[in-house]
Amino acid sequence: GEDVEQSLFLSVREGDSSVINCTYTDSSSTYLYWYKQEPGAGLQLLTYIFSNMDMKQDQRLTVLLNKKDKHLSLRIADTQTGDSAIYFCAERYSSASKIIFGSGTRLSIRP
Amino acid sequence: NAGVMQNPRHLVRRRGQEARLRCSPMKGHSHVYWYRQLPEEGLKFMVYLQKENIIDESGMPKERFSAEFPKEGPSILRIQQVVRGDSAAYFCASSPRSGLAGGYNEQFFGPGTRLTVL
C-alpha cells in the first residue's frame, strides 16, 4: 500500500537542531524527498535521497534513511526563524508518475 | 527561465459554477502533473499529462473533473458544478522527462491556485 506518515507539529528553540521524522510503507519506493512549504506558497524541493543510500548531507540539512524500518528523517542544524514552514516527506517509485506525500510537519521556532 | 506558472492564484466560485485552473510548465517541459491539497493535508496526485495525452488519471475523481494539455497553450484543470468539498489548493508541477522514465526526474511545482467554493 501507499502511505507516508509524519507527526503534525514540531517546536524547537532558535539555534537548536530540528529533527522531523517520517515513515513510509512501500518498500519499492526508490526516491524519498523532503519539501518545504511556506504560508501561501508552493512547494520547494529541499533534498532527496535515493533508496540505496543511508545518509545525505547538504549544508545544514542531513537526511537519514533506515530502509529496514522504512524510516526517513530530516535534521536541520542551527534552526533559524526562516525555517518556519511545513515540511513534507514524500516518496516515488522510479518509473511512476506520481509523488506520494505525507500530511506535513509544521515546524515552529521559539526565540 | 521562469518557473511553473499557475493562474489564477485565487479563485472564488459559488456552488454549481465551473472552475478553470491554468498551468504553464517550465520552458522545455512537456510533462505536467496536477495535485490537490485539502486543508491541513498533504498533496494528493490527480493526473499526469503529456502534450495532447492523459497518461495517468488514477487520482482524478470520476465525475466533474477533467484535465487537458493541448498542443499549444497551458494545461487546464476543469471542475464542473463545484461543491464546497472542492475547496482546496491545486498545484501543478512539470518535469523535463517522462514521469514514467526510470531514474531521477524532478517535478517542479507552481505556486498553486487556491479555490474557494461558497
Side-chain angles (χ1 to χ4, degrees):
Chain A
E2 306 168 341
D3 202 9
V4 178
E5 293 191 359
Q6 45 185 136
S7 53
L8 292 179
F9 300 100
L10 177 65
S11 176
V12 300
R13 200 181 304 274
E14 188 175 0
D16 286 353
S17 292
S18 306
V19 180
I20 304 171
N21 295 301
C22 166
T23 57
Y24 59 98
T25 54
D26 199 318
S27 57
S28 55
S29 290
T30 310
Y31 293 97
L32 295 134
Y33 305 84
W34 284 104
Y35 285 87
K36 177 182 181 183
Q37 185 182 36
E38 295 181 85
L43 272 71
Q44 173 195 354
L45 178 65
L46 284 178
T47 186
Y48 70 94
I49 190 166
F50 190 52
S51 58
N52 68 353
M53 299 167 65
D54 297 326
M55 186 182 93
K56 183 177 180 182
Q57 187 154 6
D58 183 3
Q59 299 183 334
R60 292 192 297 124
L61 304 179
T62 304
V63 178
L64 294 177
L65 176 60
N66 181 329
K67 212 174 168 187
K68 175 174 166 287
D69 293 338
K70 297 177 189 168
H71 182 267
L72 183 74
S73 68
L74 173 70
R75 178 175 178 269
I76 306 172
D78 186 24
T79 309
Q80 303 297 309
T81 53
D83 295 324
S84 291
I86 300 175
Y87 290 80
F88 291 96
C89 172
E91 62 175 351
R92 187 178 83 88
Y93 322 130
S94 176
S95 57
S97 54
K98 61 182 175 182
I99 297 174
I100 298 160
F101 288 85
S103 297
T105 299
R106 188 179 297 271
L107 175 64
S108 60
I109 316 300
R110 308 191 301 273
Chain B
N1 186 10
V4 177
M5 300 181 70
Q6 292 187 246
N7 68 82
R9 293 292 307 276
H10 300 273
L11 181 60
V12 179
R13 285 287 178 265
R14 295 191 183 281
R15 280 181 298 169
Q17 290 184 319
E18 179 180 287
R20 279 182 180 246
L21 288 63
R22 294 175 189 77
C23 168
S24 296
M26 284 181 73
K27 189 175 180 181
H29 290 192
S30 57
H31 304 273
V32 164
Y33 314 78
W34 285 94
Y35 292 81
R36 176 166 64 175
Q37 184 180 29
L38 294 170
E40 307 300 321
E41 293 189 13
L43 279 71
K44 296 283 194 290
F45 170 82
M46 298 180 77
V47 62
Y48 160 46
L49 309 103
Q50 294 176 19
K51 287 277 185 184
E52 300 185 280
N53 284 302
I54 296 174
I55 307 301
D56 179 357
E57 55 181 348
S58 57
M60 284 279 270
K62 293 287 184 277
E63 297 178 351
R64 301 187 299 108
F65 285 72
S66 62
E68 62 176 13
F69 189 16
K71 190 176 179 183
E72 301 291 337
S75 175
I76 307 284
L77 179 68
R78 184 177 173 218
I79 311 172
Q80 294 178 288
Q81 298 175 305
V82 296
V83 300
R84 288 220 174 99
D86 297 333
S87 294
Y90 291 83
F91 289 94
C92 169
S94 71
S95 67
R97 297 194 296 129
S98 167
L100 301 179
Y104 184 68
N105 185 29
E106 184 176 345
Q107 294 182 16
F108 295 81
F109 283 82
T113 294
R114 278 152 182 85
L115 172 65
T116 301
V117 179
L118 301 177

